Amino acid sequence: MTLTPKRPIWALSSWLFALALMAPVAVMIWSASSANHDTFLHLWQTVLPDYIINTLLLGGYVVLLVICFGVISAALVTRTNVYGRKMLRWLLLLPLAMPAYVIAYIYTDLFDYAGPVQRFLRDIFAWQSPQDYWFFDIRSLFGAALMIALVLFPYVYMLVRTAFECQDPQMIRAARSLGLNARQTFFKVSLPLARPAIAISASLVLMETLADFATVQYFAVNTLTTAIYDTWLEYGELSTANAIASVLLIFVLIVLVSEQRARAKQSHQVNSRQHIEHVYTLTGIEQIAASAFCWGLVVFGFLLPCGILLDMAWRYFDVEQFNTLLSSGLNSLEVSFYVASIASVLALLFVLFRRLSQVKLSALPLKISGLGYAIPGTVLAMAMLATFGPLDHVINDLAVQFGFNAPGLVLSGSAFAIVFALVTRFSAIANGTIASGVEQIPQSLDYAPASLGVGLWQTIRQVHIPLLKSSFVVAWLLVFVEAMKELPAVLVLRPFNFDTLSTHIYQMISDERLEQGAIGAILIVAFGLIPIVILNKKEKNH
Amino acid sequence: MKPILTIKNLSVLLQDKLILQDVELSLAEGDILGLVGPSGCGKTTLLNTIAGFVEQSRGEICIDDIHIGAGSHVPPERRQVGVIFQDYALFPHKTVGQNIAFGIQKLKKSEQDYRVAELLKLLALTELSERFPHQLSGGQQQRVAIARALAVRPKLLLLDEPFSNIDARLRDELMIELRSLLKSFNMSAIFVTHNKDEVFTFADKIALLHQGSIIQTGAPKAVFEQPASWQVADFLQIGSWLKVKSVGNSLFTALGEVNCEQLTDTPDSSIELLIKPKYLKLIEAEANCIVKHITFTEQGYHYILASLDKHCALSFERLSFYSEQLLAVGEKVAIHIIAHQYQIFVRE
């Protein structure tokens, strides 16, 4: 059925915006493919294999760790009487608000040779030098993986917990009545049923890991993202950076496909509104181990670093620092405001186009515009430079020809490129939120106004927009927060002397003086808590 | 009476599938038409095509003086066709009063208020005008939907399974109420249902849709008495089917010989005799049937009978028969066909 057979403007604008969001990536791939083959060969013969191996190892470790953290904690919280179960249920989400590079800094401070933990151990056991004992080296590839996993495991925890909670209790009862005990039922029924959720969340984590820049950079682990950054900002080689970005994009694509496949499988899952009430009672020793595991994740993923940050902020408060923080904070607010507003309005356009026109392929603009979430910020930044750099030259040449002063890098050298990159990266969040909002509206409400003689624009204005108001606000807020937190894209694209909250903190971390930027880090964490609160609230309403 | 709706030669293609094929239909002003057919036959598509939500591929639709051809689509908002959706489609963020006024916002405020007040009163909704849809019962929601559709004074009202969400106990009452309301407005209406009893209570006219085509229209009683084809009789469950074998001028069934003038050239294997339960009776003779199942109904016991002889070409498994007399499952009985105007159909 269709309500908009003759609305070319709508179709045109949907397609145009969706394709425009992805165009820079295409330009980047194209310019990388036309790059000098010698450069690429040289890269391949020197550093590229190492970068690729490091990237793969990092991804592999992180996925193993998050599955271990996330699945076990989800199982314990949903199926056992682990201590503090009700609180853990939402506390386990909090690490999501903590940027990995911040805890990397904090734990390096804490566990390094000169840090308080090793000092304490040396004092107690009278060790003299590093030769006397073995201690976990945090500044390593595995250390980086552990830091990333500690803050990303909540993705797995959240999706798998939901999968466990939505499983049909009848299925569990059926298994029990067929002679399986609680443990067997879990491993033979519940866990296999949660497989799609595990696969989806693990691929999401993998995408975030591939996108991570600051943690690996801080630990001096060379991955593809740091390579892009270094090649461009240190050596100024744009086409080489583009080439590396394209290689990274291939990995992302593989992960993206596996994620989409897992999602397709998820539709087989039966979602039940009934909740499983039966809980496995842990024995004494089991209870201790289970509680230590879950609470350990909460403490090391959130509470401890948060406490340390607060302590730093309290002890190292400094008015001058506070002023720079304020100005970078204002920049962050401004950029995030534009990103959130543009992404949400575009999402509304794409979602309503798909919903109301139902022409073949009308869902494509929504899909295309949502692909950006998989693309690492560094890659997007390169895409912006590859596209808007040449465009700026054209603009300048034209301006000079027409007798104006050359305006400079108006697109690639201003906040425009940052906003564009972030809209591309976070459109998926706005799309998803508004799309799920529109699914709550029964299809008949699209048709009812027409049967009452009311036209399409009026219908959208009076029915869809009012009904989507809360989804729109949530979408705006979620994108706003993500834009606040995003680091690598901004780091590459920011104009001279332009800092946002996240680049400011990154700078502080690079200079080994996060103590003075602790308030900024706390702010980032506080903003990061907003989506978690929203998620929790949404869930309660269901 | 002048026709309010005329459909000629209408075909609809959706996703390269022919959903409606050469539909012919007309409706006189003030008449209520029940559109019935098995699920998937295209009932809802026909309704959506009349309303303008689906574009026709061929043929024409005339709604009063509005002419819609395959190339000249008229958008739904300009057809003056009201729709009562199956889920009522009330706007959840608007009150009852605002819902009813939704389609008449272009009118003067005083006129809007007048119409809303009139409809609220007529449908006994005055007390509820400030409530939101989720605060209403199913029946109240339906009345709001009707008031909202009537407010724009449509020429034709389409109702998609209007009684499917209503409690069985209230359904009859509601049908009678709604029918007299529509009659008082002289409102022409088409409603979709898969329940034949609703047609008999609610409609002046019935149209049977089968695989995208209308296979019979007429007054419910006439259609019931003279079904035009095997599908019509089968869908309306007018009676049971008996296989036949012709020998000369006579027809043989598993229950004996019947005299039928309406013989055809079609081979015996594809024709069946329609037997309404009222033409069957129990007799004292050699048993020819066995009782398979008993249902207690208000009209007495309803029996499903099977022929005793299982291996003959004419044997049957489901013969419907009503009786006041109590029989036992497995009991063998003799059934006789009362002579009447026999109806034979070609099974397709």
Side-chain angles (χ1 to χ4, degrees):
Chain A
M1 291 206 271
T2 164
L3 288 170
T4 58
K6 291 171 186 83
R7 304 256 178 205
I9 294 174
W10 203 357
L12 206 70
S13 58
S14 291
W15 278 100
L16 214 66
F17 282 122
L19 292 176
L21 282 181
M22 285 298 134
V25 178
V27 170
M28 182 198 77
I29 294 170
W30 183 76
S31 71
S33 71
S34 64
N36 197 338
H37 281 262
D38 292 342
T39 328
F40 207 78
L41 201 67
H42 176 71
L43 271 175
W44 183 251
Q45 283 164 347
T46 52
V47 287
L48 199 56
D50 274 347
Y51 291 169
I52 292 177
I53 288 170
N54 278 344
T55 305
L56 291 178
L57 271 178
L58 183 76
Y61 285 147
V62 170
V63 165
L64 279 179
L65 285 170
V66 291
I67 287 179
C68 171
F69 293 167
V71 176
I72 295 176
S73 59
L76 289 173
V77 164
T78 53
R79 296 292 154 83
T80 73
N81 62 337
V82 60
Y83 180 73
R85 190 174 168 230
K86 284 225 169 86
M87 270 208 320
L88 279 174
R89 208 173 163 277
W90 60 269
L91 278 177
L92 279 164
L93 290 170
L94 297 186
L96 216 46
M98 194 58 77
Y101 54 89
V102 171
I103 66 164
Y105 179 88
I106 290 172
Y107 287 138
T108 307
D109 241 22
L110 213 55
F111 294 112
D112 237 11
Y113 183 74
V117 173
Q118 289 200 41
R119 266 207 321 265
F120 177 72
L121 289 173
R122 280 197 300 270
D123 281 354
I124 288 195
F125 297 103
W127 294 321
Q128 298 301 321
S129 69
Q131 279 81 38
D132 294 345
Y133 64 104
W134 179 87
F135 197 81
F136 170 71
D137 178 19
I138 197 167
R139 293 188 76 121
S140 62
L141 185 92
F142 186 78
L146 186 65
M147 294 301 112
I148 295 172
L150 259 181
V151 296
L152 291 185
F153 84 86
Y155 276 115
V156 180
Y157 161 74
M158 188 165 59
L159 265 75
V160 174
R161 188 194 73 191
T162 315
F164 283 155
E165 283 176 346
C166 291
Q167 278 169 6
D168 190 352
Q170 303 291 14
M171 208 124 55
I172 309 293
R173 285 181 200 142
R176 296 302 292 272
S177 75
L178 291 167
L180 271 65
N181 66 27
R183 199 180 288 262
Q184 289 165 326
T185 306
F186 176 76
F187 284 106
K188 293 201 165 161
V189 180
S190 296
L191 196 58
L193 277 172
R195 254 184 335 218
I198 298 173
I200 293 171
S201 52
S203 7
L204 285 175
V205 169
L206 200 50
M207 281 174 204
E208 292 280 333
T209 308
L210 290 178
D212 178 81
F213 163 76
T215 318
V216 282
Q217 176 85 344
Y218 182 64
F219 281 178
V221 176
N222 283 319
T223 63
L224 289 170
T225 43
T226 60
I228 296 167
Y229 183 81
D230 291 342
T231 325
W232 166 234
L233 285 187
E234 311 277 313
Y235 308 114
E237 293 198 28
L238 186 62
S239 63
T240 315
N242 275 342
I244 303 175
S246 304
V247 172
L248 180 52
L249 209 54
I250 294 170
F251 288 107
V252 168
L253 206 69
I254 295 169
V255 181
L256 189 69
V257 169
S258 68
E259 189 225 350
Q260 296 291 335
R261 286 204 171 167
R263 273 192 202 278
K265 277 190 195 138
Q266 197 187 30
S267 56
H268 298 300
Q269 268 187 342
V270 191
N271 282 342
S272 158
R273 282 181 195 273
Q274 275 178 291
H275 274 213
I276 297 158
E277 278 135 31
H278 180 81
V279 167
Y280 176 81
T281 312
L282 297 163
T283 63
I285 194 100
E286 283 172 341
Q287 177 66 272
I288 292 169
S291 304
F293 184 80
C294 292
W295 284 98
L297 286 174
V298 175
V299 168
F300 285 104
F302 188 78
L303 296 180
L304 180 63
C306 212
I308 292 174
L309 279 179
L310 286 170
D311 178 57
M312 281 177 181
W314 178 252
R315 280 199 286 168
Y316 297 90
F317 182 79
D318 158 356
V319 178
E320 196 187 330
Q321 273 305 323
F322 190 72
N323 283 336
T324 41
L325 188 78
L326 215 59
S327 73
S328 57
L330 284 176
N331 284 339
S332 270
L333 289 178
E334 195 182 342
V335 167
S336 308
F337 175 83
Y338 287 125
V339 173
S341 307
I342 295 170
S344 311
V345 169
L346 286 181
L348 197 63
L349 173 78
F350 299 142
V351 167
L352 286 177
F353 176 63
R354 178 189 67 170
R355 167 76 175 233
L356 295 177
S357 97
Q358 298 189 348
V359 180
K360 256 186 222 160
L361 307 180
S362 69
L364 266 184
L366 185 69
K367 277 216 174 116
I368 293 172
S369 65
L371 286 176
Y373 77 103
I375 304 172
T378 23
V379 175
L380 276 176
M382 294 324 296
M384 297 304 135
L385 292 176
T387 311
F388 296 125
L391 218 58
D392 273 335
H393 283 294
V394 174
I395 292 172
N396 281 309
D397 289 349
L398 278 177
V400 171
Q401 254 182 10
F402 285 100
F404 297 105
N405 285 331
L409 303 175
V410 276
L411 300 177
S412 62
S414 70
F416 172 84
I418 299 179
V419 171
F420 198 112
L422 297 193
V423 169
T424 308
R425 183 148 160 76
F426 301 124
S427 264
I429 299 173
N431 287 357
T433 311
I434 296 182
S436 72
V438 95
E439 271 157 34
Q440 308 291 316
I441 303 175
Q443 192 93 57
S444 58
L445 284 197
D446 301 348
Y447 298 109
S451 78
L452 297 165
V454 172
L456 186 67
W457 295 119
Q458 282 289 326
T459 304
I460 289 171
R461 210 170 59 78
Q462 294 196 18
V463 179
H464 291 90
I465 290 184
L467 289 175
L468 286 173
K469 214 189 300 168
S470 65
S471 306
F472 187 89
V473 172
V474 172
W476 192 93
L477 215 54
L478 290 177
V479 176
F480 184 83
V481 169
E482 286 299 323
M484 274 314 260
K485 286 168 69 184
E486 167 66 30
L487 172 66
V490 185
L491 211 50
V492 177
L493 292 171
R494 69 193 165 130
F496 188 65
N497 263 344
F498 182 91
D499 258 313
T500 65
L501 213 46
S502 53
T503 63
H504 174 74
I505 294 161
Y506 173 76
Q507 204 57 56
M508 291 302 205
I509 285 177
S510 304
D511 301 349
E512 300 284 348
R513 50 189 191 115
L514 178 64
E515 285 75 7
Q516 284 150 351
I519 296 179
I522 291 169
L523 273 181
I524 289 267
V525 173
F527 274 112
L529 288 174
I530 294 174
I532 298 172
V533 172
I534 293 174
L535 272 173
N536 239 351
K537 219 175 154 189
K538 249 186 171 171
E539 200 186 42
K540 271 190 194 137
N541 291 343
H542 270 292
Chain B
M1 245 184 302
K2 78 168 185 174
I4 195 82
L5 173 75
T6 318
I7 295 176
K8 278 184 197 149
N9 203 22
L10 179 79
S11 294
V12 171
L13 222 83
L14 285 181
Q15 272 135 22
D16 298 327
K17 256 182 78 186
L18 197 59
I19 308 290
L20 293 177
Q21 189 174 12
D22 296 326
V23 169
E24 303 271 336
L25 190 69
S26 78
L27 186 69
E29 195 169 4
D31 265 4
I32 299 175
L33 172 84
L35 189 60
V36 295
S39 43
C41 70
K43 293 172 302 213
T44 304
T45 305
L46 180 54
L47 227 54
N48 283 332
T49 313
I50 298 169
F53 301 136
V54 170
E55 267 188 77
Q56 67 233 57
S57 319
R58 215 174 44 234
E60 48 192 288
I61 301 174
C62 283
I63 303 162
D64 203 10
D65 50 0
I66 302 168
H67 178 266
I68 304 136
S72 57
H73 185 70
V74 175
E77 62 267 27
R78 278 192 258 130
R79 293 194 179 197
Q80 302 181 27
V81 173
V83 181
I84 307 292
F85 294 86
Q86 198 172 356
D87 60 359
Y88 313 134
L90 299 179
F91 304 119
H93 58 305
K94 293 184 182 285
T95 63
V96 168
Q98 287 167 340
N99 261 287
I100 297 174
F102 189 87
I104 49 175
Q105 294 172 70
K106 283 189 188 136
L107 299 182
K108 259 192 286 172
K109 189 83 182 80
S110 57
E111 172 68 11
Q112 280 184 40
D113 290 345
Y114 173 75
R115 278 202 203 179
V116 172
E118 184 191 50
L119 283 162
L120 282 171
K121 194 168 150 226
L122 203 65
L123 286 146
L125 290 166
T126 311
E127 310 283 295
L128 308 175
S129 72
E130 293 303 315
R131 296 240 190 127
F132 285 93
H134 67 90
Q135 299 168 308
L136 306 177
S137 71
Q140 289 167 338
Q141 287 184 14
Q142 190 182 43
R143 295 212 301 273
V144 178
I146 291 162
R148 184 179 72 176
L150 292 179
V152 290
R153 307 215 166 131
K155 291 180 169 157
L156 174 66
L157 195 61
L158 306 177
L159 305 98
D160 190 1
E161 306 211 11
F163 309 110
S164 62
N165 291 335
I166 307 279
D167 200 307
R169 212 164 46 81
L170 298 172
R171 199 174 298 165
D172 268 351
E173 197 183 322
L174 199 76
M175 275 192 271
I176 293 164
E177 243 176 59
L178 184 54
R179 184 178 158 84
S180 60
L181 182 78
L182 293 181
K183 287 290 165 194
S184 73
F185 276 90
N186 196 30
M187 177 61 65
S188 324
I190 299 179
F191 78 104
V192 157
T193 177
H194 49 252
N195 181 342
K196 62 170 176 165
D197 297 328
E198 287 180 11
V199 179
F200 294 132
T201 315
F202 196 65
D204 302 308
K205 205 175 152 186
I206 181 173
L208 262 116
L209 202 57
H210 180 74
Q211 292 180 352
S213 302
I214 294 215
I215 49 174
Q216 193 172 3
T217 55
K221 186 173 185 293
V223 172
F224 199 76
E225 278 169 3
Q226 290 296 329
S229 66
W230 190 89
Q231 280 88 6
V232 175
D234 193 59
F235 181 77
L236 294 178
Q237 291 175 288
I238 292 171
S240 320
W241 297 107
L242 281 183
K243 290 177 191 159
V244 295
K245 186 177 179 201
S246 55
V247 178
N249 264 351
S250 321
L251 274 185
F252 285 90
T253 74
L255 299 179
E257 187 186 344
V258 294
N259 279 319
C260 181
E261 288 125 36
Q262 189 205 336
L263 286 178
T264 57
D265 297 335
T266 330
D268 295 349
S269 59
S270 63
I271 59 177
E272 285 183 348
L273 176 65
L274 176 67
I275 291 292
K276 294 178 183 167
K278 66 175 177 182
Y279 294 124
L280 293 174
K281 76 171 181 194
L282 275 173
I283 52 164
E284 293 290 330
E286 194 191 338
N288 53 6
C289 292
I290 180 163
V291 177
K292 299 286 277 187
H293 184 79
I294 309 173
T295 312
F296 174 75
T297 74
E298 292 159 67
Q299 291 86 34
Y301 297 102
H302 177 203
Y303 296 102
I304 301 295
L305 308 171
S307 57
L308 261 185
D309 188 351
K310 287 275 178 288
H311 306 293
C312 147
L314 298 177
S315 61
F316 56 85
E317 285 295 318
R318 292 187 59 87
L319 183 68
S320 222
F321 168 63
Y322 287 86
S323 169
E324 300 282 331
Q325 195 180 332
L326 180 59
L327 304 171
V329 171
E331 194 173 336
K332 290 170 185 167
V333 291
I335 293 285
H336 174 69
I337 302 174
I338 302 163
H340 63 283
Q341 193 75 38
Y342 296 110
Q343 289 174 305
I344 321 181
F345 293 94
V346 179
R347 181 174 193 157
E348 281 160 26

